[in-house]
Amino acid sequence: MMKQDMVCIACPMGCKMEVSTIENGKTSYNVSGNKCPRGEQYAVKEMTNPTRMITSTVRLKNGHLARLPVRTSDAIPKDKIFDCMKTLDEVQVSSPVKAGEVIIEKLMGLDINIIATRSM
Ligand code: SF4
């Protein structure tokens, strides 16, 4: 049995949780410290397929600011964050851009888009 401490980030309460991994033919997880079921869901997902929403910026041409704020349309696998940031670093868009506009479709072949979060 392996134990891991983690903090739930599903709401601002930030419950401190302990996750025990139980190997009994197949892997299962025992979660404690969570104040609601979302904590358990978060902990199990974090152990099996950790993902994160990304908010960042891309270069903007002809705008009143040099960078356009963007975000992923959904959470991406944690191990793809570095490649995502590298991709965003190479992107430049031209003003005008509307909030909600897709800046990159199917980011790195995933079913996830990069979306503008501000009209500029
Ligand atoms: S376990 Fe529930 S109450 Fe605690 S941080 Fe997560 S979502 Fe919030």
Side-chain angles (χ1 to χ4, degrees):
M1 187 170 79
M2 275 173 47
K3 288 186 178 180
Q4 190 173 319
D5 293 326
M6 67 174 71
V7 175
C8 180
I9 59 170
C11 93
M13 290 279 288
C15 294
K16 290 193 172 107
M17 303 186 293
E18 188 180 271
V19 187
S20 307
T21 306
I22 303 155
E23 301 287 348
N24 192 4
K26 64 176 190 143
T27 307
S28 59
Y29 303 96
N30 182 46
V31 182
S32 60
N34 52 308
K35 288 191 176 66
C36 80
R38 285 170 66 198
E40 183 171 354
Q41 286 164 17
Y42 171 78
V44 172
K45 189 158 189 298
E46 195 64 9
M47 297 298 284
T48 55
N49 178 30
T51 60
R52 292 289 182 274
M53 292 292 290
I54 300 295
T55 58
S56 186
T57 59
V58 295
R59 279 178 289 147
L60 180 69
K61 231 169 54 177
N62 309 324
H64 65 281
L65 293 175
R67 299 198 69 91
L68 171 74
V70 295
R71 68 168 172 83
T72 49
S73 59
D74 207 341
I76 66 168
K78 217 171 157 183
D79 62 0
K80 300 260 192 246
I81 290 175
F82 181 78
D83 289 339
C84 172
M85 297 309 283
K86 215 169 139 207
T87 302
L88 294 181
D89 202 37
E90 290 162 5
V91 171
Q92 184 177 49
V93 293
S94 275
S95 183
V97 180
K98 282 194 173 153
E101 196 173 315
V102 174
I103 303 300
I104 303 174
E105 201 172 352
K106 295 207 177 289
L107 173 73
M108 299 180 300
L110 302 168
D111 202 15
I112 289 169
N113 300 330
I114 294 291
I115 294 169
T117 57
R118 185 173 165 183
S119 298
M120 288 177 73

